[in-house]
Amino acid sequence: MSQTITITKEDILSQVKLSCKIPEFVEGIVTRKVIENAAAEAGIKVETEELQKAADQMRLINKLISADHTWAWLEKHSLSIDDYEEIVYSTVISDKLATHLFADKVEPYFFENQLDYAGVVMYEVVLDEEDLAIELLYAIREGEMSFYDVAHKYIQDTELRRKCGYQGMVRRKDLKPEISAAIFAVKPPQLLKPIITSKGAHLILVEEIIKPELDTKLRYQILLTLFFEWIKQQIQQLKVAKNLDLNLLIA
């Protein structure tokens, strides 16, 4: 015999508290208010066409290809149409505020930090022992094994092993300093000497060095970087008054 469980707003608030997520929710609320206040002060408005375009993009991202899919998604997340419109509005106003504040600062930031945005196409095998890594290095250089043989033999992760340790294109700023220093000092293609980090001995094959280019994607990434740093600074300057007694609400 099936049973029905009733979940109240108090149950949800209690679960949020017990999952220790209150600070994250408070930060999200403060972030939204900071953005809304700053947008209002700057006189930024959102046009109907902008909202419609953003709503279409959001449906596309969430694979909501029909009205039925959209209604099911809203129900799953306990959202009303008004809630959905508020999400879309928040997305648009955030993008417009970011553009208003930092559009003219993206290029200077890029040129000042362009080395960080250089990239490398690389393959990597991380070994537990440095001596083994050195042994394999010489075996590859002498033609006794290929890098791909080493990857298939020593990489434990199935998907990574199938890709022979392929890491794709990795930005310089996302690499450990000791690894990036070694990688960007060579002319590819080249197999590096083992690099020792806390993870082990890294055997790296550098396939290609990608020069930084300020394309549309990177321009938007930098815009968001500057925007989120600004939000962080704004929050640090605020004193948040929590007009909410969680214990009384949950009791």
Side-chain angles (χ1 to χ4, degrees):
M1 181 177 177
S2 62
Q3 294 181 329
T4 301
I5 297 177
T6 301
I7 299 177
T8 66
K9 292 181 179 179
E10 288 74 19
D11 291 330
I12 294 173
L13 184 57
S14 177
Q15 182 60 36
V16 169
K17 181 181 180 183
L18 295 176
S19 63
C20 301
K21 294 292 180 65
I22 290 292
E24 295 175 29
F25 282 94
V26 169
E27 183 176 344
I29 293 168
V30 173
T31 296
R32 190 175 74 247
K33 289 183 178 294
V34 165
I35 291 171
E36 290 174 353
N37 292 340
E41 289 178 7
I44 297 173
K45 299 183 182 301
V46 178
E47 303 298 332
T48 302
E49 295 78 7
E50 294 173 315
L51 289 173
Q52 185 59 56
K53 182 179 179 181
D56 292 341
Q57 290 176 336
M58 186 173 293
R59 281 194 291 269
L60 184 63
I61 291 171
N62 289 285
K63 300 180 181 178
L64 307 178
I65 58 178
S66 69
D68 288 342
H69 284 100
T70 302
W71 283 112
W73 184 83
L74 291 173
E75 184 177 357
K76 175 183 177 181
H77 296 283
S78 299
L79 296 171
S80 66
I81 290 294
D82 289 341
D83 294 329
Y84 181 72
E85 291 177 351
E86 187 173 350
I87 293 172
V88 174
Y89 176 84
S90 295
T91 301
V92 175
I93 203 71
S94 294
D95 284 347
K96 295 193 73 170
L97 179 61
T99 301
H100 171 76
L101 292 173
F102 298 109
D104 61 345
K105 296 178 175 60
V106 170
E107 286 191 18
Y109 182 91
F110 169 73
F111 288 114
E112 184 177 343
N113 300 277
Q114 60 181 312
L115 287 180
D116 289 339
Y117 293 99
V120 56
V121 178
M122 57 182 275
Y123 294 78
E124 180 183 51
V125 178
V126 183
L127 301 146
D128 293 332
E129 300 176 11
E130 182 178 3
D131 290 343
L132 175 59
I134 294 173
E135 180 182 332
L136 294 171
L137 170 71
Y138 286 116
I140 294 171
R141 286 182 174 177
E142 293 173 8
E144 298 173 5
M145 301 178 71
S146 70
F147 184 90
Y148 312 105
D149 293 331
V150 171
H152 274 286
K153 184 173 181 179
Y154 291 98
I155 293 179
Q156 300 299 317
D157 181 85
T158 302
E159 289 302 315
L160 191 57
R161 183 170 64 248
R162 287 172 180 166
K163 296 189 295 184
C164 300
Y166 180 65
Q167 302 294 314
M169 199 281 284
V170 184
R171 296 282 185 193
R172 180 170 188 160
K173 65 185 181 67
D174 296 325
L175 294 166
K176 290 182 176 293
E178 59 268 38
I179 292 179
S180 65
I183 286 176
F184 289 95
V186 302
K187 184 177 180 180
Q190 190 165 147
L191 178 65
L192 304 182
K193 294 180 180 179
I195 302 170
I196 309 302
T197 72
S198 58
K199 290 185 177 180
H202 299 249
L203 201 56
I204 295 174
L205 175 61
V206 179
E207 182 177 276
E208 183 182 1
I209 298 294
I210 310 279
K211 292 183 179 180
E213 179 181 349
L214 189 58
D215 56 16
T216 302
K217 182 179 180 181
L218 181 55
R219 185 181 293 274
Y220 187 63
Q221 289 176 351
I222 293 175
L223 184 72
L224 291 183
T225 296
L226 294 171
F227 185 50
F228 289 140
E229 184 60 34
W230 174 82
I231 289 174
K232 182 179 178 181
Q233 292 172 357
Q234 298 304 304
I235 291 175
Q236 289 174 345
Q237 295 171 11
L238 292 174
K239 290 183 179 179
V240 180
K242 300 179 188 176
N243 295 321
L244 179 66
D245 190 331
L246 296 175
N247 292 320
L248 288 177
L249 281 174
I250 295 172

